[in-house]
Structure formats: structure tokens, C-alpha cells
Amino acid sequence: MIFKPFKSTYLFLFLLLNFQLISCAQKKVQDSSLNVKSSQNEALEIKTGAERTDLYVDLLKNKNIGIVANQTSVISILQRAEVKPNVMGSKKVTHHLVDYLHNYNGISVTKVFSPEHGFRGKADAAELVKDGFDTKTDLPIVSLYGKSKKPSAQQLKGIDVMVFDIQDVGVRFYTYISTLHYVMEACGENGIPVIILDRPNPNAHYIDGPILEMKHTSFVGKHPIPIVYGMTIGEYGQMINGEKWLKNKIQCDLKVIPLQNYTHQSKYSLPIKPSPNLPNDKSINLYPSLGFFEGTTINAGRGTEYQFQRYGAPFFKKTDFSYTPQANEGAKYPKHKGKICYGVDLSKTPHLSKIDLSFLIDAYQKTPKTEKFFGETFTIHAGNTKLQQQIEQGLSEEEIRASWVDDLEKFKVVREKYLIYE
């Protein structure tokens, strides 16, 4: 009998020890699982074409390079860094692509070409940008939004390869794809290969809008595509080439450095605003719907800190929501500058997966007949005369959208040929 307490205590300690061992084992499995998930998340991080330097730097060595770039042309790459005394680790370091390649052994960057808004992205929409020099590298900068939007043979003289790296937003009237067209055309005419370093399209998750009619081509719409076309700029470059949209149906020697871990449904928040009046994800998502207002007398938030997240005018009826546009970066002369605009706040609008015509229709209906609504550029933004006619006739959003369906289906068939990502 005297051994029973001892045996009970022994049994209790034995069970306790086993329980602790099992718990530790489970924790290790959980920790291991967390580590696996963590590494998977890191592995699935979207990597831009510019950041995949191993795929293109060898193509640039011992050559004279031209770069089409702006403030979005940055790369974040891992570099060795001392994190503790006598312990080496790595960290991500951000560089502007021009600086990175300019300092890369064996690569000779000779000239920078800048699009609308300039190399540093400070100029107004439609403001002419002059040629100049980059103060950091002393490289000459050629404006592709100045006297000419297409590089001349003289400007391309001595360039062996042209690198194109600009963040697009996937909207037809956003002019960076027109710049791409002219760069490809000029390089094709002068026998210069073009390398597009691909970047995500934050509006790639849908395709929508009227197809541009070719009689209404302009710098805010050069090709027969919908307003939202669902392609990265690399895929779009392949379409320009493949459909022979360049002058005289020439094609350029084109190579696309693809994104890693990307699909058209990937969520991507732009680390740098692509232009002064697209400051955040909300404005970029609303831009395809509110961009129509560029061709009207309605202010779409320019001259405020909520560009393309509101719309209004002084001649709307007084409401609880109002704002007063003032000159700011990217909008020196906003519509209705210094006047109180009554309108609609869209900053809390749910994420859109289609063009919302209700904003345009609402603004048209709120505009008194004594005031002008449509401006001279509405047609080139819409890509046709039909949309204005439909709104003036009082058609509903559903009726207008129905008129796009057949053309959108035909476009999707063409688009499919040039896709790199799912």
C-alpha cells in the first residue's frame, strides 16, 4: 500500500511530461507551417519586369542605351547589408532605374526620354514639357510631350537599345500608351530594338467601355480598343506590334520582360503616383469613369486633394457637399478655380469592376440648359460621337452599356492573342 502514492505521482509526472512533449511538437509543426506560409507569401510577391534584372542586364551590356522613364521607373532589389556586427544580411534598396543602370558596370545610358508630366512627373496634364538635363546624372532628357511626341531619327542616333519602363493604369485616354506607340514606331523605323520592362495594371481586372472609332484618333486614343482594355503595358505593346498599328504597318524588334507572380486579377497598390492627378488607389480605380469629365465643363476634383474622387460645378444646385478648386501641383488652372462647386463625393465608393456611367448621366441631368455641358474634347475621350448622343437622348446606363457588348466581345478575341498572364 505504501507504494500507491508514489506510483500515482510517478504516473502524473509521466503524463505531464508527455503532454509537454506533445505540445512542443505541435508548436514546432505550427511554427513550421507559419514559416512555410510566410515564405510562400514572400515568394508570391509581385516582381516588376524592371526588378528582374537578371533577365535583361546582359542584353544591355556594351551597348548605348536610351530609356523612356518617369518618376514611376523605380526598382526595389535585395542588396547585401550589415544588420549586426560581423553578421551579414540583405535588405531591399530602392533605386530609380536610370540611376541604377547609369551606375551599372558595362552599361552606357546615353539619353532619357520623358512622357507627359515630365521625367519627375510634376507637369500639368497637356502641359508642354521642354528638353533638358537630369541634375543627378547629367544625362540629356528628351521630352516626348513637347514640340514632338515621337523621337526623331536624330534624337535616336547612337542608341543601340531602347528600354521602356513606365507605370500605366490601363485606360485608353491615359497617354503613356500613346507614347509607347510612337517610341515603338520610331525605333522600328530606325532599326532599334525595344525592351519593355512590364509593370502591373491596377485596372486589369475588367474590360469595358466603347471601342474607339479610328476617325476619332488622337494622342488620348490611338487604337481601336475600349476605354478599359485589361492588359499590362507589355501585353499592350505586343498588341500594337502584332496588329500592325504602327505607321505603314511596320513592326519593331520587341522584347517584354514579364512580371513575376502576377495575374490580371492581382491586387496591386501603386507605390508611386503615376501622375499628379492620380494620387492613390481610389482615384486610379475611379479614373475610367470620371475621365469622361475631362471633355465636359464639370470639375472632377482637379485643384483639390481628391482628384478623380468627386465631381461638381458652381451651377449645380446647392447641396451639403461642396469644394473650391485651387491651383496645385498638376493643376495650375483647374476648372472653376476659386469658385464653390456643389456636387458628389465619391471617396467612399466601393471598388469598381466596370465603368460607372451614372456619374456622367447625373452630372448632365444636373446641368441647367442655360449652361454648356459637353466640351470639344468629349468625343476624343469617348472615342465616338455616339456616347454624347445617347446621353443627350436620355438613354439609361443599361441601354448605353448594351450598345458596347458586341464590340467588346470582338476585342476580347483579339486581346487573347497577346496575353502573357492569366
Side-chain angles (χ1 to χ4, degrees):
M1 294 289 294
I2 57 173
F3 294 103
K4 284 184 179 181
F6 172 78
K7 288 181 178 179
S8 297
T9 302
Y10 179 79
L11 180 60
F12 173 78
L13 291 172
F14 175 79
L15 291 172
L16 182 62
L17 179 61
N18 273 275
F19 177 80
Q20 290 176 331
L21 289 171
I22 291 170
S23 296
C24 289
Q26 288 177 334
K27 188 175 187 304
K28 285 183 179 179
V29 170
Q30 288 174 348
D31 289 346
S32 175
S33 176
L34 288 172
N35 288 335
V36 168
K37 288 180 181 178
S38 176
S39 63
Q40 285 176 341
N41 287 337
E42 290 174 3
L44 293 176
E45 181 181 355
I46 294 173
K47 203 171 185 179
T48 68
E51 290 168 337
R52 304 183 74 184
T53 54
D54 57 311
L55 298 183
Y56 66 89
V57 290
D58 286 345
L59 303 175
L60 308 180
K61 288 182 177 177
N62 303 314
K63 293 181 174 69
N64 294 323
I65 309 301
I67 302 180
V68 185
N70 66 2
Q71 76 283 356
T72 67
S73 309
V74 297
I75 58 174
S76 295
I77 55 176
L78 284 174
Q79 288 188 348
R80 299 292 290 179
E82 189 171 332
V83 292
K84 289 181 181 180
N86 303 319
V87 178
M88 294 301 293
S90 60
K91 67 175 182 178
K92 276 195 171 183
V93 178
T94 300
H95 305 269
H96 193 283
L97 181 70
V98 170
D99 300 335
Y100 179 81
L101 294 180
H102 183 64
N103 295 319
Y104 201 101
N105 288 334
I107 295 177
S108 175
V109 178
T110 60
K111 199 171 291 184
V112 177
F113 296 82
S114 67
E116 183 177 7
H117 307 295
F119 182 49
R120 298 298 175 189
K122 302 289 186 183
D124 279 13
E127 179 183 355
L128 296 183
V129 181
K130 296 180 180 179
D131 295 348
F133 287 86
D134 179 37
T135 56
K136 189 171 183 179
T137 60
D138 288 329
L139 290 169
I141 298 175
V142 176
S143 171
L144 299 180
Y145 204 78
K147 293 180 180 179
S148 176
K149 295 177 174 62
K150 177 179 174 178
S152 67
Q154 182 62 33
Q155 290 168 336
L156 294 175
K157 190 175 181 180
I159 293 176
D160 299 315
V161 179
M162 182 71 81
V163 175
F164 188 101
D165 180 39
I166 291 178
Q167 177 64 60
D168 187 42
V169 298
V171 182
R172 187 183 67 217
F173 41 67
Y174 202 60
T175 62
Y176 295 157
I177 56 174
S178 294
T179 295
L180 174 63
H181 170 106
Y182 282 126
V183 168
M184 289 175 60
E185 187 172 280
C187 289
E189 291 170 343
N190 290 277
I192 300 171
V194 176
I195 298 176
I196 299 176
L197 307 181
D198 213 1
R199 289 186 176 270
N201 173 2
N203 286 312
H205 58 292
Y206 71 103
I207 300 164
D208 205 9
I211 302 291
L212 179 137
E213 297 174 355
M214 293 305 288
K215 61 184 176 182
H216 299 299
T217 57
S218 71
F219 198 65
V220 293
K222 292 198 63 62
H223 309 124
I225 62 170
I227 288 172
V228 183
Y229 46 86
M231 307 173 79
T232 65
I233 201 161
E235 292 172 322
Y236 193 78
Q238 293 188 152
M239 178 181 275
I240 291 174
N241 226 21
E243 294 301 302
K244 298 183 178 180
W245 286 339
L246 303 177
K247 186 178 180 181
N248 298 323
K249 296 187 176 182
I250 64 168
Q251 292 177 301
C252 78
D253 180 353
L254 179 67
K255 182 177 181 61
V256 178
I257 304 300
L259 293 150
Q260 189 173 28
N261 303 320
Y262 175 79
T263 74
H264 293 117
Q265 299 301 316
S266 297
K267 292 182 179 179
Y268 186 74
S269 181
L270 301 191
I272 297 172
K273 59 183 179 182
S275 57
N277 286 289
L278 290 182
N280 53 38
D281 295 340
K282 179 58 66 178
S283 64
I284 290 168
N285 181 243
L286 285 166
Y287 180 59
S289 301
L290 296 192
F292 289 117
F293 287 124
E294 298 290 84
T296 72
T297 55
I298 308 303
N299 177 285
R302 289 186 186 272
T304 76
E305 297 304 313
Y306 293 87
Q307 303 97 318
F308 294 103
Q309 297 163 78
R310 56 179 54 173
Y311 63 91
F315 45 76
F316 283 0
K317 286 185 179 180
K318 188 175 181 179
T319 60
D320 292 337
F321 177 73
S322 66
Y323 62 94
T324 304
Q326 300 289 356
N328 64 5
E329 182 183 278
K332 294 176 183 175
Y333 309 103
K335 292 174 189 173
H336 310 303
K337 176 183 174 182
K339 297 180 181 179
I340 298 176
C341 292
Y342 300 99
V344 180
D345 178 14
L346 300 173
S347 60
K348 305 298 182 184
T349 303
H351 195 71
L352 297 181
S353 293
K354 68 174 185 178
I355 288 176
D356 193 329
L357 285 175
S358 69
F359 313 138
L360 186 65
I361 294 171
D362 174 65
Y364 177 75
Q365 292 173 345
K366 286 178 177 175
T367 300
K369 291 182 180 179
T370 54
E371 299 286 347
K372 185 178 180 182
F373 182 80
F374 291 106
E376 295 179 358
T377 65
F378 185 81
T379 294
I380 62 173
H381 278 87
N384 62 29
T385 57
K386 190 175 183 180
L387 181 58
Q388 179 174 338
Q389 294 167 356
Q390 290 171 322
I391 292 171
E392 290 174 334
Q393 291 166 6
L395 269 64
S396 68
E397 179 173 7
E398 291 71 23
E399 290 172 319
I400 296 173
R401 293 183 62 81
S403 69
W404 302 343
V405 172
D406 290 344
D407 286 341
L408 285 174
E409 290 305 314
K410 292 175 184 176
F411 169 76
K412 289 176 184 178
V413 173
V414 176
R415 168 184 175 271
E416 189 70 28
K417 296 186 291 183
Y418 304 106
L419 298 184
I420 301 171
Y421 319 98
E422 294 181 358

